[in-house]
């Protein structure tokens, strides 16, 4: 047998080696598949405890890599290949980190975030330089090494912090956005300091100062690389985008050329000047364009690759490199190193945030939370610890110390975020400020917002019908919304009080006087039981919603009524004089401490309502949900006004229809939440029916519908019958009768029904009031709600 094999030129030993290599590759692939599967399973188990994904990746990676069977049988070739994967992944990671930093940050640094980032960096760095010499972390202690360690300690892992903040559902809050921006600036400054230090000192040769020629070569090549990244790559990407329109697959040749160009530009400094590949990728990513298909495709694919494969494999590699058998746990200095390094990070960041927060007017609890979260270290800092051990700069035991310290910085993150949400709940109003829960015998407080004199008569009519009967009394705050422009700001003069400012602009003064005179005339001549106060919101549009919400909270208002951002002209078309106020309306709808109504005026301001004669036909469309219940609550006040003839139109789901999609939707909607919502709707509507319909004060119609198409046609059939429609914005658990309508909404802030009624092709005589019930901010869950705490 052996003779035949030799005669045929086949060595059985070679065949055996080949089979063993194939078997090792298969086993290694199986190990990676098991690691990824275990990471996903453990993450699902830890998710109810708000633990970020990196915790499950670290636990699985460390556990698997330290199993004696795997550690003893994992081949050296596989371990080396895993090291190459980790290094290549970190290069991509740093490139994407740089790609996510807008280069305009260098010219428009956000003041608050920069102050907090720099203060935390500086204090942590100074503490690190002072404390690390006493810990004897390196084989050859030196000031340069202490500076290197201090730079590692003072940085923040912005990609990891962003993942944690979004996973823990505070990404839309003010503190979440603030922390992400601050972490990016902190990351940027610390890595740029790393880059500067790498150019001057050579970490491979004991942090010796490089020769002048070597430094100049690195600087020259880096400048060339940055110029190519900022000028050549954008031209190439624009050319690729022009030949690959959106919606079509990118040509393979174009993708290859683009990637090859990126690799070529990013490799210039490492190939020519022996610069670090990770730092080179970071610098190249900063100056490359963010727009275009290639940038978005690249960032998206790399993030997907990281989440699915790289991060679990990286933690598995870290577990192999961090040999716990070499951990000197019996030495008290080892535990002192863990404690003091951890405290250095926390004390530096927290004290820095407290000092900068005191200057910026932050609450001390927000500053402490910011300091704790900005202390987070990530993959880059762990990789630097492993790299220092591989280069024989620190001992294996001290490498374990630095990795453990990095893990300690993000273990407490869920508790910090939970504290933030708990404080936001306590500081958010928990009183239900809505008409549905307002006692009919209690005074109604309402804020009527106006753009200008064109809203006066319609606002007066809304006041009139909102009161219902003559008692109880109603308090109305008529609020003028005026954008603070540079021209208006130049006319402001100091008034009475320290911070008071007086308006001297003649146009504004004349407009306010006109509104005041008409409102006062109405109050004196026709108004009974309504108290009116005048208010003014004069501020930039970006912050106007804050002032409106603050007024509503201070005045304990139950409803804010906002004018639609378009006004109907005499010919029936809408003008766009107040288009900028659309964002104000949207923000008020998100943040208001009470219910909100958006009023589309199509002629309500052209009539004068009175209690003597019936001069207006109004309709309330009731489908389902809390917003419709709030609209019905408002309609119950309108129903008691003697000058309004109100009709309630209830849209009901036709359970006998043959529409298959409707039957499927009804089956899916048969949940506990749907049943509870349906019960509330039926009880509330029954109460309204007994009070108003049964007594004959309100007309009633039922419409049995099967789908949203029938809903649309039914609404269109109501055109011309009513002067005012009152509808809920949305908030429906079962959306069968409105399913698909949001796909073609022109104004999503009005909801599907309000959008149809306010469209230019519906009517020129029917005004619309779209009502949203107060969202109880005390029930916020994090990312699902935008909340403010700072």
């Amino acid at each position: 047998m052996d003779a035949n094999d030799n005669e045929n030129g086949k060595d059985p030993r070679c065949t055996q080696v080949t089979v063993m290599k194939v078997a090792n590759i298969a086993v290694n692939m199986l190990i990676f598949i098991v690691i990824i599967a275990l990471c996903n399973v453990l993450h699902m188990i830890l998710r109810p405890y708000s633990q970020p994904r990196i915790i499950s990746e670290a636990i699985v990676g460390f556990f698997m890599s330290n199993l004696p069977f795997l550690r003893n049988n994992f081949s050296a070739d596989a371990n080396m290949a895993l090291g190459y994967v980790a290094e290549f992944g970190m290069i991509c990671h740093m490139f994407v980190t740089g790609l996510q930093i807008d280069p305009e940050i260098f010219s428009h640094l956000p003041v608050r975030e920069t102050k907090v980032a720099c203060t935390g960096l500086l204090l942590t760095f100074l503490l690190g330089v002072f404390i690390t010499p006493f810990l004897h972390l390196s084989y050859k202690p030196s000031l340069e090494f202490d500076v290197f360690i201090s730079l590692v300690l003072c940085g923040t892992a912005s990609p990891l912090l962003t993942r944690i903040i979004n996973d823990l559902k505070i990404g839309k809050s003010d503190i979440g956005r603030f922390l992400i921006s601050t972490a990016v600036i902190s990351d940027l400054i610390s890595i740029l300091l790393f880059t500067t230090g790498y150019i001057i000192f050579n970490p491979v040769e004991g942090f010796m100062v490089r020769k002048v020629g070597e430094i100049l070569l690195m600087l020259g090549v880096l400048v060339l690389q940055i110029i190519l990244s900022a000028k050549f790559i954008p031209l190439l990407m624009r050319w690729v985008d022009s030949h690959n329109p959106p919606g079509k697959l990118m040509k393979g040749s174009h993708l290859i050329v683009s990637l090859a160009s990126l690799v070529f530009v990013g490799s210039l400094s490492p190939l020519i000047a022996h610069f670090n590949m990770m730092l080179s990728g970071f610098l190249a990513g900063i100056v490359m364009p963010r727009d275009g298909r290639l940038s978005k495709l690249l960032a998206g694919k790399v993030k997907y690759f990281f989440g699915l494969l790289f991060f679990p494999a990286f933690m598995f590699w870290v577990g192999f490199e961090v040999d716990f058998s070499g951990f000197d746990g019996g030495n008290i200095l080892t535990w002192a190193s863990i404690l003091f390094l951890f405290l250095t990070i926390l004390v530096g960041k927290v004290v820095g945030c407290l000092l900068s927060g005191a200057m910026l007017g932050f609450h001390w609890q927000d500053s402490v939370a910011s300091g704790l979260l900005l202390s987070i270290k990530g993959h880059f800092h762990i990789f630097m610890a492993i790299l220092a051990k591989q280069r024989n700069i620190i001992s294996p035991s001290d490498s374990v110390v630095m990795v453990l310290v990095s893990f300690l910085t993000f273990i407490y993150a869920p508790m910090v975020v939970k504290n933030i949400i708990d404080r936001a709940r306590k500081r958010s109003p928990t009183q239900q400020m809505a008409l549905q829960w307002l006692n009919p015998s209690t005074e109604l407080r309402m804020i009527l917002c106006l753009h200008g004199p064109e809203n006066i008569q319609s606002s007066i009519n809304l006041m009139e019908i909102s009161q219902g009967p003559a008692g109880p009394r109603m308090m109305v705050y008529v609020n003028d919304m005026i954008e603070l422009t540079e021209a208006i700001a130049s006319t402001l003069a100091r008034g009475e009080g320290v911070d008071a400012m007086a308006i001297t602009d003649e146009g504004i003064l004349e407009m306010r006087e006109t509104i005041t005179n008409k409102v006062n005339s109405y109050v004196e001549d026709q108004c009974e039981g309504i108290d009116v106060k005048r208010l003014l919101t004069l501020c930039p549009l970006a912050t106007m919603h804050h002032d409106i919400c603050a007024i509503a909270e201070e005045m304990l208002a139950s409803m804010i009524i906002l004018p639609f951002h378009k006004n109907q002209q005499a010919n029936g078309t809408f003008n766009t004089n107040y288009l900028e106020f659309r964002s104000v309306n949207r923000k008020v709808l998100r943040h208001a401490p009470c219910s909100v109504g958006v009023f589309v005026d199509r002629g309500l301001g052209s009539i004068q309502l009175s209690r003597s004669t019936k001069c207006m036909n109004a309709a309330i469309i009731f489908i389902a949900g809390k917003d419709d219940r709030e609209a019905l609550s408002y309609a119950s006040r309108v129903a008691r006004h003697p000058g309004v003839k109100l009709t309630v139109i209830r849209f009901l789901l036709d359970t006998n229809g043959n529409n298959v999609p409707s039957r499927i939707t009804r089956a899916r909607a048969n949940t506990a939440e749907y049943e509870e919502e349906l019960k509330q709707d039926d009880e509330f509507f029954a109460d309204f029916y007994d009070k108003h319909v049964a007594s004959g004060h309100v007309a009633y119609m039922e419409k049995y519908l099967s789908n949203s198409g029938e809903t649309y046609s039914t609404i269109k059939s109501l055109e011309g019958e009513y002067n005012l429609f009152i509808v809920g914005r949305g908030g429906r658990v079962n959306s069968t009768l409105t399913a698909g309508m949001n796909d073609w909404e022109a104004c999503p802030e009005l909801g599907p029904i309000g959008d149809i009624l306010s469209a230019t092709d519906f009517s020129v005589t029917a005004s619309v009031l779209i009502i949203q019930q107060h969202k109880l901010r005390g029930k916020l869950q994090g990312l699902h709600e935008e909340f403010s705490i700072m």
Side-chain angles (χ1 to χ4, degrees):
M1 184 78 176
D2 293 340
N4 291 334
D5 287 339
N6 290 332
E7 288 175 3
N8 295 329
K10 295 181 180 179
D11 189 345
R13 289 173 298 180
C14 295
T15 304
Q16 186 178 5
V17 170
T18 303
V19 171
M20 289 180 64
K21 285 184 177 181
V22 172
N24 282 334
I25 293 173
V27 170
N28 294 333
M29 291 296 294
L30 181 62
I31 290 172
F32 288 135
I33 293 172
V34 171
I35 290 171
I36 294 168
L38 286 176
C39 283
N40 291 327
V41 171
L42 186 59
H43 180 59
M44 292 177 64
I45 296 173
L46 295 177
R47 182 179 293 175
Y49 303 98
S50 300
Q51 292 295 327
R53 188 178 180 87
I54 190 173
I55 297 291
S56 58
E57 293 167 353
I59 292 174
V60 172
F62 272 47
F63 174 76
M64 294 289 291
S65 60
N66 282 279
L67 287 175
F69 171 77
L70 287 180
R71 198 169 189 90
N72 296 331
N73 292 281
F74 203 69
S75 65
D77 292 339
N79 194 17
M80 184 181 298
L82 189 60
Y84 290 144
V85 170
E87 187 171 356
F88 174 74
M90 284 307 302
I91 294 170
C92 296
H93 174 69
M94 294 301 292
F95 173 75
V96 173
T97 301
L99 195 64
Q100 292 174 337
I101 298 176
D102 191 345
E104 291 187 3
I105 198 172
F106 293 103
S107 57
H108 299 91
L109 278 173
V111 177
R112 297 193 314 165
E113 290 84 346
T114 304
K115 285 183 178 179
V116 174
C118 291
T119 309
L121 274 169
L122 181 61
L123 281 180
T124 309
F125 177 78
L126 294 176
L127 276 175
V129 171
F130 175 75
I131 291 175
T132 50
F134 299 101
L135 302 179
H136 305 291
L137 296 174
S138 66
Y139 289 119
K140 297 178 180 179
S142 63
L143 178 62
E144 292 82 3
F145 172 79
D146 296 335
V147 170
F148 164 76
I149 291 295
S150 300
L151 286 176
V152 174
L153 298 178
C154 71
T156 300
S158 60
L160 178 57
L161 181 59
T162 302
R163 284 178 65 194
I164 291 175
I165 284 176
N166 288 330
D167 287 345
L168 298 178
K169 304 186 189 322
I170 62 168
K172 289 187 177 181
S173 66
D174 56 349
I175 192 170
R177 293 191 297 266
F178 171 80
L179 285 171
I180 290 173
S181 180
T182 305
V184 166
I185 295 173
S186 180
D187 227 354
L188 175 64
I189 295 173
S190 62
I191 295 177
L192 289 179
L193 290 173
F194 260 115
T195 303
T196 305
Y198 189 90
I199 293 173
I200 299 174
F201 303 101
N202 190 348
V204 181
E205 298 180 4
F207 295 98
M208 290 182 60
V209 178
R210 299 182 189 272
K211 296 179 181 179
V212 176
E214 192 176 357
I215 294 175
L216 293 176
L217 177 62
M218 276 191 181
L219 289 174
V221 177
L222 280 175
V223 170
L224 176 62
Q225 176 179 301
I226 290 172
I227 292 174
L228 287 175
S229 300
K231 300 298 181 182
F232 169 71
I233 296 297
L235 292 175
L236 177 64
M237 287 188 176
R238 281 196 289 270
W239 179 81
V240 170
D241 289 341
S242 65
H243 288 76
N244 297 272
K248 293 185 177 181
L249 290 174
M250 185 175 289
K251 295 179 181 178
S253 57
H254 292 171
L255 184 61
I256 292 172
V257 170
S258 302
L259 292 177
S261 302
L262 291 175
V263 172
F264 169 73
V265 172
S267 303
L268 278 178
S269 55
L271 290 174
I272 299 175
H274 304 290
F275 190 67
N276 184 272
M277 281 289 292
M278 288 189 300
L279 299 178
S280 174
F282 177 77
L283 295 176
I286 289 178
V287 296
M288 282 186 184
R290 274 88 188 130
D291 300 328
R293 290 189 66 189
L294 187 61
S295 296
K296 295 176 182 177
L297 176 68
L298 193 62
K301 293 296 183 183
V302 171
K303 284 182 179 179
Y304 178 77
F305 165 75
F306 280 177
L308 183 65
L309 297 175
F310 172 68
F311 288 139
F314 177 82
M315 287 302 174
F316 184 69
W317 173 76
V318 170
F320 259 103
E321 292 295 327
V322 177
D323 188 0
F324 283 96
S325 61
F327 180 63
D328 192 6
N331 189 350
I332 192 172
L333 183 61
T334 301
W335 298 104
S337 298
I338 294 176
L339 176 63
F340 281 102
L341 287 176
F342 184 60
L343 288 178
T344 297
I345 297 170
L346 291 191
V347 172
K349 291 292 186 181
V350 171
V351 173
C353 288
L354 282 171
L355 292 176
S356 55
M359 292 186 291
L360 295 169
F362 293 167
H363 193 276
W364 70 268
Q365 289 179 300
D366 299 329
S367 298
V368 171
S370 299
L372 291 173
L373 292 176
L374 289 172
S375 301
I376 287 176
K377 302 292 175 283
H379 301 86
F380 173 74
H381 306 90
I382 295 172
F383 186 80
M384 296 301 290
I386 302 299
L387 201 61
K389 187 208 75 169
Q390 291 179 342
R391 300 286 170 83
N392 293 320
I393 298 173
I394 61 176
S395 67
S397 179
D398 290 328
S399 173
V400 176
V401 167
M402 295 184 66
V403 171
L404 288 178
V405 169
S406 297
F407 287 143
L408 288 175
T409 59
F410 52 72
I411 287 177
Y412 57 78
M415 292 182 288
V416 177
V417 174
K418 183 179 182 299
N419 178 262
I420 289 173
I421 294 178
D422 288 343
R423 286 188 295 111
R425 285 174 177 155
K426 291 178 182 178
R427 293 169 62 176
S428 296
T430 55
Q431 183 179 359
Q432 293 174 318
M433 300 300 293
L435 299 178
Q436 182 179 345
W437 300 289
L438 184 67
N439 191 321
S441 62
T442 306
E443 178 187 57
L444 170 64
R445 291 171 172 262
M446 178 186 295
I447 297 176
L448 274 174
C449 296
L450 289 78
H451 289 151
E454 60 270 28
N455 303 135
I456 300 175
Q457 190 56 52
S458 59
S459 298
I460 289 175
N461 287 333
L462 282 176
M463 274 192 276
E464 176 69 30
I465 65 174
S466 298
Q467 186 192 17
R473 299 191 67 84
M474 184 172 72
M475 187 73 216
V476 180
Y477 300 91
V478 180
N479 180 42
D480 300 328
M481 299 192 301
I482 300 175
E483 180 185 5
L484 180 61
T485 61
E486 292 183 3
I488 295 176
S490 64
T491 65
L492 296 179
R494 186 168 296 282
E496 297 181 1
V498 178
D499 299 322
M501 301 297 291
I503 299 174
T504 61
D505 185 274
E506 293 184 0
I508 295 178
L509 291 175
E510 183 179 351
M511 181 199 75
R512 297 206 72 216
E513 185 178 0
T514 301
I515 295 174
T516 303
N517 290 338
K518 287 194 175 184
V519 170
N520 288 340
S521 176
Y522 162 73
V523 172
E524 293 171 3
D525 298 340
Q526 303 178 42
C527 177
E528 294 181 9
I530 301 179
D531 298 320
V532 179
K533 287 187 178 180
R534 295 282 284 119
L535 297 175
L536 171 65
T537 301
L538 177 64
C539 59
L541 291 178
T543 60
M544 187 173 287
H545 68 286
H546 283 302
D547 288 20
I548 295 173
C549 294
I551 292 170
E553 194 165 351
E554 182 181 354
M555 303 303 176
L556 298 177
S558 295
M559 176 171 281
I560 301 170
I561 296 184
L562 302 165
F564 190 47
H565 63 273
K566 297 178 183 178
N567 285 330
Q568 184 171 273
Q569 302 178 101
N571 60 2
T573 61
F574 282 105
N575 63 37
T576 56
N577 296 340
Y578 300 102
L579 193 60
E580 299 85 357
F581 282 85
R582 182 180 186 183
S583 63
V584 177
N585 290 359
R586 286 177 166 180
K587 291 175 183 177
V588 173
L589 285 165
R590 284 199 298 267
H591 299 284
C594 61
S595 295
V596 181
V598 178
F599 180 62
V600 183
D601 185 13
R602 287 208 198 94
L604 187 63
S606 63
I607 60 176
Q608 177 63 58
L609 288 176
S610 67
R611 295 177 176 271
S612 58
T613 58
K614 285 184 170 60
C615 56
M616 187 178 76
N617 292 325
I620 159 75
I621 297 177
F622 185 88
I623 302 177
K626 59 182 182 179
D627 291 349
D628 283 23
R629 293 196 296 270
E630 186 71 2
L632 198 62
S633 299
Y634 179 80
S636 66
R637 292 179 173 271
V638 176
R640 292 181 291 177
H641 191 283
V644 178
K645 183 180 179 180
L646 180 68
T647 301
V648 177
I649 307 171
R650 189 174 188 185
F651 288 2
L652 295 168
L653 190 64
D654 185 5
T655 56
N656 298 319
N658 296 320
N659 189 288
V660 175
S662 295
R663 295 202 305 273
I664 295 173
T665 307
R666 286 196 294 272
R668 291 176 178 173
N670 190 20
T671 62
E673 185 181 7
Y674 168 65
E675 294 295 335
E676 177 62 26
E677 193 77 12
L678 186 62
K679 180 181 177 182
Q680 291 186 45
D681 290 338
D682 289 340
E683 290 177 353
F684 193 77
F685 193 87
D687 182 65
F688 177 88
Y689 188 95
D690 292 339
K691 288 180 179 179
H692 303 288
V693 178
S695 62
H697 290 99
V698 174
Y700 177 59
M701 286 195 301
E702 287 183 354
K703 301 286 186 180
Y704 286 90
L705 312 172
S706 299
N707 51 50
S708 57
E710 293 184 7
T711 302
Y712 177 79
S713 59
T714 303
I715 292 173
K716 292 289 286 183
S717 68
L718 301 174
E719 183 177 353
E721 295 187 22
Y722 302 98
N723 306 108
L724 174 67
F725 284 94
I726 304 169
V727 297
R729 184 189 177 205
R732 305 176 183 93
V733 173
N734 179 20
S735 58
T736 305
L737 299 183
T738 57
M741 286 186 176
N742 56 352
D743 295 339
W744 38 267
E745 286 176 348
C747 297
E749 67 270 20
L750 302 181
I753 307 300
D755 187 73
I756 295 171
L757 293 170
S758 62
T760 54
D761 61 349
F762 178 74
S763 173
V764 294
T765 58
S767 300
V768 189
L769 180 62
I770 301 99
I771 297 178
Q772 171 189 277
Q773 190 175 81
H774 171 220
K775 294 181 179 179
L776 191 59
R777 288 159 56 200
K779 294 182 179 178
L780 60 88
Q781 298 298 319
L783 188 65
H784 306 300
E785 299 284 350
E786 293 188 12
F787 63 90
S788 300
I789 187 173
M790 299 188 73

